[in-house]
């Protein structure tokens, strides 16, 4: 195998696009493409070779990909575990540019990863295609501390253990009844409690009976409305479609602000799966099974404090290794949204926007002040409105009319928006950065002033890019706006909603898929709609029409 074949092999196994590899080693994506096609050779002494090797050695990959690379390196050097990272990079770099006769490992056994970038926007749009109810604000509760246990001794003689009590329910129908009983009991409690959920079992028990599924969702909604808090650990097997379905299914409940969702980043299917529903300090519901449906035999409910405490500790131990799956922000918890945005803004990297309106950060000062007053008036429930106003001012000051110094920004607007602005001016609504319950309409002169600020940005800031994309005539317009902090987080907001909300997603596979999609999305935009001077010329034409 020569260099181009080896590079194609690695990028195929690790699912790395030309643009992602190019960014990592600071070259143009077209050069990576020519390397892979064989149109461009590379010197064995090129500094790009160790850079490529370093990229793949340090890549945060899936287990099946890491296993394949380990098998490849093991064929290059004996006693693999005795070598440090520098040795591994050196060996992989030499392999890339040297002829060899080694027998390569076979293709890795990849798990089912349905990360099809072409479908991800359809999946996301489905999140916003339904009306999602809103519920009351949660009350903060104090967790019941786990009771310190005492480890008894043991004896060669028979010593009976402590007898614990519980209820047993049989079969899948019994599992459903146990969950219903538990939720109904929780609804009878007057003080706020915390419900802890995790299920590794196949979700047929939850979804196959539509009457049960609807009752389960309705009872959970009532649990939330009574002020109880829910922590749920979702089991995802790296399938983007599966993650999208989880979000769509749980989104209405998340809008209450009462649910915290987590996922296990390195999940492996266990031999024995279990479901735990715990009301902290009160009740535990336990079910265990395998992939064989005949093993879904018993579901146990116990109110013994030792069992409840024990399984609560197990749950919390698992939770320590989990990461947040998604967060949902509404005007009720906008202070948490401010903290989230502030932490993301401090990190360098690329920032992508697919918008339904230009970036409000570039509004002229008088119009931004007008928008700020509107936003503060629309959030009377926020305890310290001065904090909200201060955050808006700091967001404005941080940018200073300029893009983040360590961040390259790509804004993408639909080409049809320019004609709409000429006909009607700009109407500012909610997006991935601001909650606006009521829209703010700008007249032609104000719209022109906003576009002139954007033109100035394009002329003075090389790190700021504005692309104009063409929406397909045979497809519905996007139902959301997107803000993608590369490899860090993705924010989504409905295009139009009486009750604005923003979804923040940080699951690694979904972010990887979004990165692939955006690479393809940008590549399909014609050069004339990406070229800086051509875009400026289009904007100036709109400004002239608005000024007439």
């Amino acid at each position: 195998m020569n260099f181009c074949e080896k590079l194609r092999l690695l990028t195929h196994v690790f699912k790395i696009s030309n643009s992602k590899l190019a960014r990592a080693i600071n070259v143009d994506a077209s050069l990576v493409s020519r390397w892979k096609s064989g149109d461009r050779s590379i010197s064995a002494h090129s500094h790009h070779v160790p850079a490529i090797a370093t990229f793949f050695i340090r890549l945060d990959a899936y287990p099946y990909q890491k296993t394949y690379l380990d098998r490849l390196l093991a064929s290059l050097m004996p006693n693999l575990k005795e070598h440090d990272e520098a040795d591994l990079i050196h060996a992989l770099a030499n392999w890339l540019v040297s002829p060899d006769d080694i027998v390569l490992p076979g293709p890795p056994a990849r798990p089912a990863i349905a990360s099809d970038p072409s479908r991800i926007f359809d999946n996301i749009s489905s999140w916003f295609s339904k009306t999602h109810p809103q519920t009351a604000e949660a009350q903060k509760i104090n967790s019941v501390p786990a009771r310190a246990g005492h480890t008894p001794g043991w004896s060669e003689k028979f010593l009976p253990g402590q007898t614990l009590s519980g209820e047993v329910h049989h079969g899948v129908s019994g599992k459903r009844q146990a969950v219903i009983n538990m939720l109904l009991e929780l609804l009878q409690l007057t003080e706020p409690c915390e419900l802890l959920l995790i299920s590794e079992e196949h979700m047929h028990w939850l979804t196959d009976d539509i009457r049960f599924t609807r009752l389960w969702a309705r009872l959970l909604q009532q649990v939330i409305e009574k002020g109880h808090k829910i922590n749920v650990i979702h089991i995802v097997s790296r399938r983007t479609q599966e993650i999208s379905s989880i979000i769509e299914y749980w989104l209405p409940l998340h809008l209450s602000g009462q649910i915290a969702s987590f996922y296990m980043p390195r999940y492996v299917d266990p031999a024995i799966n279990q479901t735990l529903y715990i009301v902290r300090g009160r009740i535990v519901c336990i079910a265990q099974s395998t992939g064989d449906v005949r093993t879904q035999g018993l579901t146990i409910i116990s109110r013994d404090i030792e069992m409840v405490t024990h399984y609560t500790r197990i749950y919390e131990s698992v939770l320590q290794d989990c990461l947040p799956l998604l967060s949902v922000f509404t005007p009720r918890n906008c202070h948490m949204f401010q903290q989230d945005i502030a932490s993301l803004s401090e990190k360098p990297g690329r920032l992508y926007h697919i918008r339904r309106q230009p970036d409000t950060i570039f509004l002229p000062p008088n119009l931004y002040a007008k928008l700020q007053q509107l936003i503060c008036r629309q959030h009377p429930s926020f305890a310290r409105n001065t904090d909200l106003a201060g955050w808006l001012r700091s967001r404005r000051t941080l940018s200073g009319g300029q893009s983040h110094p360590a961040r390259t920004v790509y804004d993408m607007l639909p080409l049809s928006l320019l004609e709409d602005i000429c006909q009607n001016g700009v109407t500012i609504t909610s997006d991935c950065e601001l909650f606006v319950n009521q829209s703010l309409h700008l007249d032609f002169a104000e719209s022109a002033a906003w576009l002139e600020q954007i033109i100035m940005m394009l002329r003075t800031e090389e790190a700021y890019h504005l692309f104009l994309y063409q929406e397909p005539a045979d497809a519905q317009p996007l139902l959301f706006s997107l803000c993608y902090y590369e490899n860090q987080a993705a924010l989504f907001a409905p295009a139009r909603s009486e009750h604005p909300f923003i979804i923040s997603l940080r699951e690694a596979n979904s972010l990887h898929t979004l990165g692939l999609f955006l690479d393809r999305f940008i590549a399909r935009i014609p050069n004339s709609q990406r070229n800086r001077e051509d875009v400026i010329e289009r904007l100036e034409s709109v400004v002239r029409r608005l000024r007439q």
Side-chain angles (χ1 to χ4, degrees):
M1 295 178 69
N2 54 30
F3 172 78
C4 68
E5 293 170 320
K6 295 174 181 178
L7 185 59
R8 286 201 303 269
L9 171 67
L10 290 179
T11 54
H12 171 72
V13 169
F14 286 90
K15 309 305 173 191
I16 299 300
S17 65
N18 293 350
S19 57
K20 184 170 184 177
L21 178 58
R23 289 195 297 269
I25 64 174
N26 295 315
V27 300
D28 191 84
S30 61
L31 178 58
V32 175
S33 177
R34 291 195 295 273
W35 281 340
K36 291 171 65 176
S37 67
D39 292 340
R40 180 75 173 267
S41 60
I42 190 169
S43 168
H45 304 291
S46 169
H47 68 279
H48 295 313
V49 176
I52 294 171
T54 302
F55 170 78
F56 285 105
I57 292 294
R58 295 180 177 175
L59 189 62
D60 184 15
Y62 301 123
Y64 80 93
Q65 295 167 328
K66 282 290 190 184
T67 299
Y68 183 84
L69 183 59
D70 288 343
R71 291 169 59 196
L72 172 60
L73 292 170
S75 66
L76 300 175
M77 51 200 313
N79 303 321
L80 183 62
K81 294 183 179 180
E82 298 178 5
H83 295 277
D84 59 17
E85 183 185 83
D87 295 332
L88 302 180
I89 293 172
H90 182 72
L92 188 61
N94 282 343
W95 173 75
L96 280 168
V97 294
S98 302
D100 57 71
D101 298 320
I102 66 168
V103 178
L104 290 174
R110 186 176 84 148
I113 303 178
S115 52
D116 180 4
S118 65
R119 295 189 58 194
I120 190 166
F121 268 28
D122 292 336
N123 295 338
I124 296 169
S125 288
S126 69
W127 304 348
F128 304 105
S129 62
K130 301 178 178 64
T131 301
H132 301 294
Q134 299 230 7
T135 58
E137 186 68 19
Q139 302 177 20
K140 291 185 178 180
I141 66 170
N142 294 322
S143 300
V144 179
R147 189 176 68 188
H150 172 68
T151 305
W154 61 278
S155 171
E156 293 182 4
K157 298 179 180 180
F158 176 81
L159 291 178
Q162 180 182 354
T163 301
L164 300 177
S165 61
E167 303 168 6
V168 175
H169 297 263
H170 297 273
V172 175
S173 60
K175 187 180 303 182
R176 292 168 180 156
Q177 188 63 56
V179 169
I180 290 172
N181 291 354
M182 186 175 184
L183 294 177
L184 289 173
E185 185 170 340
L186 177 57
L187 288 173
Q188 300 305 311
L189 301 176
T190 55
E191 68 275 16
C193 294
E194 187 175 14
L195 181 60
L196 312 176
L197 308 179
I198 182 173
S199 180
E200 297 173 302
E201 297 183 288
H202 198 289
M203 297 308 289
H204 288 330
W205 73 269
L206 179 62
T207 58
D208 278 0
D209 186 331
I210 188 62
R211 290 178 61 244
F212 168 75
T213 305
R214 288 172 178 168
L215 176 59
W216 174 85
R218 188 165 66 249
L219 291 176
L220 272 186
Q221 185 73 42
Q222 293 173 20
V223 165
I224 290 171
E225 290 170 352
K226 289 204 66 173
H228 302 301
K229 183 181 178 182
I230 299 176
N231 273 357
V232 54
I233 298 175
H234 296 284
I235 303 302
V236 296
S237 56
R238 297 294 187 180
R239 291 193 292 268
T240 302
Q241 178 65 39
E242 178 181 346
I243 296 167
S244 179
S245 298
I246 289 172
I247 294 175
E248 181 179 351
Y249 195 79
W250 283 85
L251 182 57
L253 298 173
H254 275 84
L255 288 173
S256 67
Q258 296 292 99
I259 297 184
S261 279
F262 303 88
Y263 77 101
M264 300 173 66
R266 297 188 181 277
Y267 180 73
V268 178
D269 289 328
I272 300 176
N273 307 289
Q274 72 175 342
T275 294
L276 286 179
Y277 275 39
I278 304 169
V279 179
R280 188 185 289 274
R282 293 180 178 273
I283 316 167
V284 60
C285 177
I286 313 158
Q288 293 178 316
S289 65
T290 67
D292 186 344
V293 295
R294 295 174 298 175
T295 62
Q296 297 191 40
L298 297 179
T299 301
I300 301 170
I301 287 183
S302 176
R303 295 168 185 80
D304 279 298
I305 191 63
E306 288 200 37
M307 284 193 67
V308 175
T309 300
H310 171 70
Y311 282 102
T312 300
R313 288 196 189 114
I314 289 177
Y315 185 94
E316 290 175 338
S317 177
V318 174
L319 186 61
Q320 290 178 358
D321 295 326
C322 293
L323 298 173
L325 176 63
L326 76 151
S327 301
V328 178
F329 301 107
T330 71
R332 294 192 184 98
N333 61 352
C334 59
H335 59 286
M336 296 176 60
F337 173 69
Q338 296 166 17
Q339 296 170 2
D340 197 58
I341 289 295
S343 65
L344 288 171
S345 300
E346 293 173 354
K347 300 174 183 178
R350 295 177 180 235
L351 175 59
Y352 298 84
H353 290 279
I354 296 181
R355 301 181 181 273
R356 310 300 303 177
Q357 63 193 16
D359 191 348
T360 55
I361 205 69
F362 302 136
L363 280 167
N366 63 317
L367 295 179
Y368 196 85
K370 188 176 178 180
L371 175 64
Q372 179 176 310
Q373 292 173 3
L374 174 66
I375 294 172
C376 290
R377 285 199 308 269
Q378 292 180 7
H379 297 286
S381 61
F382 191 36
R384 296 184 300 277
N385 230 339
T386 53
D387 287 355
L388 177 58
W391 180 75
L392 291 169
R393 285 195 300 272
S394 68
R395 180 174 178 264
R396 174 83 172 181
T397 304
L398 177 65
S399 291
Q402 299 179 354
S403 57
H404 193 287
R407 189 178 292 282
T408 302
V409 178
Y410 295 88
D411 269 357
M412 286 162 273
L413 294 171
L415 189 59
S416 59
L417 178 65
L418 299 186
E419 184 59 33
D420 187 59
I421 291 175
C422 291
Q423 298 293 329
N424 306 300
V426 182
T427 299
I428 299 176
T429 59
S430 284
D431 59 15
C432 290
E433 296 161 323
L434 296 173
F435 296 105
V436 182
N437 294 328
Q438 299 172 3
S439 60
L440 175 64
H441 182 72
L442 304 183
D443 61 28
F444 288 162
E446 291 170 332
S447 300
W450 190 3
L451 294 182
E452 287 169 342
Q453 289 290 107
I454 296 172
I455 292 171
M456 183 182 69
M457 275 295 303
L458 288 170
R459 291 198 182 281
T460 58
E461 289 295 322
E462 292 186 1
Y464 177 71
H465 305 267
L466 178 62
F467 299 158
L468 302 171
Y469 68 90
Q470 184 78 45
E471 292 181 309
D474 58 346
Q476 291 184 348
L478 296 181
L479 299 176
F480 61 94
S481 56
L482 162 69
C483 178
Y484 175 64
Y485 293 82
E486 189 174 36
N487 298 327
Q488 298 175 49
L491 307 178
F492 307 92
R496 294 176 182 85
S497 176
E498 295 180 1
H499 305 289
F501 61 92
I502 296 171
I503 301 172
S504 174
L505 180 63
R506 302 200 180 209
E507 194 275 324
N509 189 47
S510 299
L511 297 181
H512 175 70
T513 304
L514 272 171
L516 293 175
F517 178 87
L518 287 168
D519 285 343
R520 300 182 186 184
F521 187 87
I522 292 174
R524 288 196 295 266
I525 300 175
N527 288 334
S528 62
Q529 293 162 213
R530 284 187 285 162
N531 180 270
R532 187 178 297 265
E533 291 303 321
D534 289 341
V535 170
I536 290 174
E537 184 177 342
R538 288 175 183 266
L539 295 180
E540 289 177 334
S541 174
V542 173
V543 170
R544 287 193 295 270
R545 293 175 62 182
L546 293 172
R547 294 291 190 189
Q548 290 177 354

